């Protein structure tokens, strides 16, 4: 099947919706009206014009189940942020803010970042704004898990120069 194919896209939506409706043991605790989720998702799925748009739309649907185990595992490469490069640091959310917790590779130590740096911006965009854009595509049973998964990916992007806004010892700087 070559995408876009609205018929098959809608079929996939209905199949997933039915699995949750009739077989998901925790459907009654899904925080949204599951019938409304179908109504909201149908035009988005049917009108997705590229394979990437379709995958993102399905990820958004799957994330609305709020189950960490449910995902479009074969298509995580389109989940934001996208890019083939990643900064050589490990991020953890501590008290709701992204913090450099360690270096992914030895080269990370020469990046100018330090353990404990709080990341405030990526390429001039605030973390709060980026999080609002990314969260709908991350399926998670709770917010801590969603933040963990976002932290693993949040420094992905295009290869080349990037700027990172940080807060270090109450000083704001850009690297």
């Amino acid at each position: 099947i070559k995408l876009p194919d609205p018929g098959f896209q809608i079929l996939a939506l209905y199949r997933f919706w039915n699995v949750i409706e009739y077989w998901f043991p925790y459907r009654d605790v899904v925080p949204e009206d599951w019938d409304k989720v179908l109504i909201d998702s149908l035009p988005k799925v049917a009108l997705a014009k590229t394979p990437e748009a379709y995958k993102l739309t399905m990820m958004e649907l799957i994330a609305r189940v709020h189950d960490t185990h449910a995902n479009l595992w074969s298509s995580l490469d389109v989940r934001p942020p996208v890019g083939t490069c990643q900064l050589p640091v490990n991020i953890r959310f501590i008290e709701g803010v992204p913090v450099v917790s360690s270096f992914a590779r030895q080269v990370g130590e020469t990046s100018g970042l330090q353990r404990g740096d709080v990341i405030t911006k990526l390429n001039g965009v605030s973390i709060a704004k980026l999080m609002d854009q990314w969260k709908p595509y991350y399926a998670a049973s709770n917010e801590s898990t969603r933040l963990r998964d976002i932290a693993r990916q949040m420094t992905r992007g295009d290869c080349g120069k990037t700027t990172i806004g940080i807060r270090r010892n109450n000083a704001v700087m850009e690297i």
Side-chain angles (χ1 to χ4, degrees):
I1 300 167
K2 290 190 84 161
L3 295 175
D5 184 319
F8 279 106
Q9 291 170 198
I10 292 170
L11 179 61
L13 165 65
Y14 284 136
R15 284 181 173 173
F16 179 77
W17 187 88
N18 278 304
V19 165
I20 301 304
E21 176 70 12
Y22 297 110
W23 298 102
F24 187 56
Y26 306 111
R27 188 188 63 76
D28 293 337
V29 295
V30 170
E32 300 179 66
D33 177 348
W34 194 238
D35 292 335
K36 186 174 179 335
V37 170
L38 177 64
I39 293 166
D40 292 346
S41 301
L42 184 57
K44 293 177 184 178
V45 169
L47 297 173
K49 299 293 184 203
T50 65
E52 293 78 17
Y54 168 66
K55 291 173 187 178
L56 282 173
T57 302
M58 290 302 288
M59 283 182 168
E60 186 176 4
L61 166 68
I62 293 166
R64 293 175 80 174
V65 175
H66 302 278
D67 185 341
T68 305
H69 303 98
N71 222 319
L72 197 58
W73 297 108
S74 63
S75 302
L76 295 180
D77 60 321
V78 300
R79 183 171 67 179
V82 296
T84 55
C85 289
Q86 187 164 3
L87 295 175
V89 294
N90 295 315
I91 306 295
R92 289 187 62 200
F93 277 83
I94 300 172
E95 296 184 8
V97 295
V99 177
V100 175
S101 62
S102 63
F103 299 106
R105 295 180 299 279
Q106 193 171 12
V107 70
E109 296 175 11
T110 63
S111 67
L113 293 170
Q114 296 178 6
R115 284 184 183 87
D117 285 347
V118 174
I119 298 178
T120 58
K121 292 182 181 181
L122 293 170
N123 285 326
V125 182
S126 74
I127 293 299
K129 185 173 181 177
L130 292 171
M131 294 296 287
D132 288 342
Q133 293 170 6
W134 297 339
K135 279 184 179 183
Y137 305 105
Y138 285 81
S141 302
N142 56 55
E143 192 61 15
S144 296
T145 303
R146 183 184 326 277
L147 293 176
R148 178 203 63 198
D149 292 347
I150 290 173
R152 292 176 179 165
Q153 303 298 320
M154 71 183 297
T155 63
R156 278 180 34 188
D158 294 329
C159 297
K161 287 189 174 188
T162 188
T163 57
I164 306 162
I166 63 167
R167 190 174 65 242
R168 180 185 297 157
N169 299 327
N170 294 322
V172 176
M173 57 183 74
E174 193 172 270
I175 295 176

